């Protein structure tokens, strides 16, 4: 069954789903306000905590390297920006289109299949998240928090972060019963934001909590992006890449199967 569903994927039909979202983006200013808010939140955290508090904290020593606190926090905020952009599109917006606008039911009246809807929505989420991260990287370079070369190296990593969280976001959205369930999602997202090595090295936490943090998705995103931004490339990064890739593939597959069951059976 899975092979049959995947074999039907058409790039043209996936592109049609993406184009539909582009059309919705042009329909009014409200969507642009949402887009802007997703970028400015991590930027304000960077300026207030990374730069402001960083002046009080001073330098950090991480993995034998000494760096400014802002240089430590900035890559984490970059990863958070990629996560937030992907999750905003694949949770709230995806759920609204699925449950209330009945957008996907209308789309299925065309030759588009559920797997193509899921793929198109995920690609659109990556486009949105990539806008955030590209601008954020420009800000980091302007502030001297990374070099242009390492910024270019970090950008594909942020795309992978968006793919991972976007896939999982869609999968979760297909299980949501109503808007009240998003309170749990927001709580989980905020917990990841605070405890994923974003503001302090995970080695500073108690051993049990450190192990727990190291199995969470944002930790892997932060470690991958931070390593590239500061120019430290290690074999352990392959673990982070594999983790995020598994999130993307697993989330996409699950979301497609749920759409198939919900809308076609």
């Amino acid at each position: 069954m899975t092979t049959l569903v995947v074999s039907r994927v058409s790039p043209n039909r996936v592109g049609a789903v993406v184009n539909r979202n582009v059309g919705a983006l042009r329909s009014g200013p409200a969507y642009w306000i949402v887009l802007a808010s997703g970028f400015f939140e991590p930027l304000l955290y960077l300026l207030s905590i990374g730069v402001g508090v960083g002046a009080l904290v001073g330098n950090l020593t991480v993995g034998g390297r000494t760096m400014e606190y802002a240089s430590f926090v900035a890559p984490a905020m970059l990863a958070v920006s990629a996560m937030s952009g992907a999750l905003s599109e694949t949770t709230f917006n995806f759920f609204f289109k699925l449950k209330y606008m009945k957008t996907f039911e209308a789309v299925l009246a065309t030759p588009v299949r559920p797997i193509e809807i899921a793929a198109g929505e995920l690609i659109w989420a990556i486009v949105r998240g990539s806008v955030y991260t590209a601008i954020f990287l420009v800000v980091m370079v302007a502030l001297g928090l990374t070099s242009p070369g390492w910024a270019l190296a970090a950008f594909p990593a942020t795309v992978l972060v968006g793919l991972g969280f976007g896939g999982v976001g869609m999968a979760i959205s297909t299980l949501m019963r109503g808007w009240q369930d998003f309170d749990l999602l927001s709580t989980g997202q905020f917990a990841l934001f605070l405890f994923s090595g974003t503001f302090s090295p995970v080695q500073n936490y108690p051993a049990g909590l450190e192990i727990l943090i190291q199995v969470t998705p944002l930790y892997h995103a932060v470690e991958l992006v931070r390593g590239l931004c500061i120019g430290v490339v290690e074999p352990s990064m392959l673990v982070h890449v594999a983790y995020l890739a598994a999130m993307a593939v697993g989330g996409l597959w699950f979301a497609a199967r749920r759409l198939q069951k919900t809308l076609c059976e």
Side-chain angles (χ1 to χ4, degrees), residues 1 36 41 54 61 84 90 128-129 147 180 187 206 234:
M1 177 64 180
E41 182 178 356
T61 300
S84 299
T90 58
R128 172 176 172 174
S147 67
Q180 66 274 12
T187 301
E234 299 175 335

Side-chain angles (χ1 to χ4, degrees), residues 8 12 37 55 107 115 119 181 186 201 239 248:
R8 294 176 177 176
N12 290 335
S37 66
V107 172
I115 183 64
D181 291 341
S186 298
V239 176

